[in-house]
Amino acid sequence: MCVPAGFLATLFVSRYYGDTYFHITLVEVIGFLGMMAGGLLISTWGGFKRHTKTLLVGMVSFGLLATLMGSVKNFYMYLVLMAVYEVALTMVQTVSTTLLQENSTPEMSGRVFGLFGAAYSSLLPIDMVVFGLLADKTSMRLLMVMSGGLLILLAVVMFMDKSLQDLFNFYFCSGNELGHCSQR
């Protein structure tokens, strides 16, 4: 669920809370402040000792906050949730980037990050088309709640499924040996 937060937030706020410059600007400013707070938090705290735990906590938080944002009726409560949502987003993005940096060889890191950037850039317009069309056909509140729920479900499956943990450990642990993932 790589929903472009700015696009969806703008559309959501304009439909449910008001299509004014005040509402849209406030959402963008609060989103920015939340991302800054997330960056400061991660840069000072560093996340959990195991990066995968930070990733899963971030994913569950991200999903829970998306679900709450889709459910809340009060605009100012939505803004508070949006700020914390952006902190969780920063956690997920930072740990994903960190895992890529730690586990790609120096000669391959340019290619890895090039592919990562290309995938992200190509998914944004696809997300806008899919969620834009869905937003015209169904409730955006329902889309937010379902997207958040699916993200939580994905995190739970990643946490519970031993074969996924082994696969994850294989790709993101030093030496590429199963079960030798003490720091990540």
Side-chain angles (χ1 to χ4, degrees):
M1 299 287 133
C2 184
V3 182
F7 165 73
L8 192 55
T10 302
L11 190 57
F12 187 84
V13 167
S14 67
R15 286 193 181 174
Y16 290 104
Y17 298 116
D19 193 16
T20 67
Y21 289 121
F22 172 76
H23 288 96
I24 303 301
T25 301
L26 206 50
V27 165
E28 294 298 324
V29 169
I30 295 296
F32 167 75
L33 293 174
M35 289 172 92
M36 289 294 296
L40 289 171
L41 174 71
I42 287 294
S43 68
T44 55
W45 168 47
F48 295 108
K49 186 174 182 178
R50 292 176 53 95
H51 294 316
T52 53
K53 183 176 180 181
T54 307
L55 178 65
L56 292 175
V57 167
M59 286 174 62
V60 169
S61 302
F62 198 28
L64 180 63
L65 289 159
T67 301
L68 291 171
M69 287 168 59
S71 303
V72 72
K73 305 280 190 224
N74 181 288
F75 178 64
Y76 295 103
M77 179 55 91
Y78 175 86
L79 291 176
V80 169
L81 293 170
M82 175 94 175
V84 182
Y85 172 89
E86 295 294 342
V87 171
L89 171 67
T90 305
M91 283 177 66
V92 170
Q93 288 179 332
T94 302
V95 77
S96 299
T97 303
T98 301
L99 286 169
L100 285 174
Q101 285 174 329
E102 288 179 345
N103 296 287
S104 54
T105 60
E107 60 272 1
M108 293 298 290
S109 63
R111 294 176 194 166
V112 168
F113 281 99
L115 182 61
F116 188 67
Y120 185 74
S121 296
S122 64
L123 287 174
L124 283 175
I126 294 169
D127 285 345
M128 284 191 263
V129 168
V130 170
F131 280 94
L133 290 173
L134 283 173
D136 288 340
K137 302 291 182 194
T138 188
S139 163
M140 286 194 66
R141 289 190 187 279
L142 180 63
L143 286 176
M144 294 269 294
V145 169
M146 288 179 60
S147 295
L150 287 173
L151 192 55
I152 293 169
L153 181 64
L154 177 62
V156 168
V157 167
M158 285 176 61
F159 178 75
M160 301 295 280
D161 190 334
K162 177 75 171 129
S163 63
L164 280 177
Q165 289 175 17
D166 288 343
L167 181 66
F168 196 87
N169 287 341
F170 179 75
Y171 285 105
F172 292 108
C173 295
S174 60
N176 287 344
E177 295 178 32
L178 293 177
H180 294 90
C181 194
S182 61
Q183 296 297 316
R184 298 180 187 102

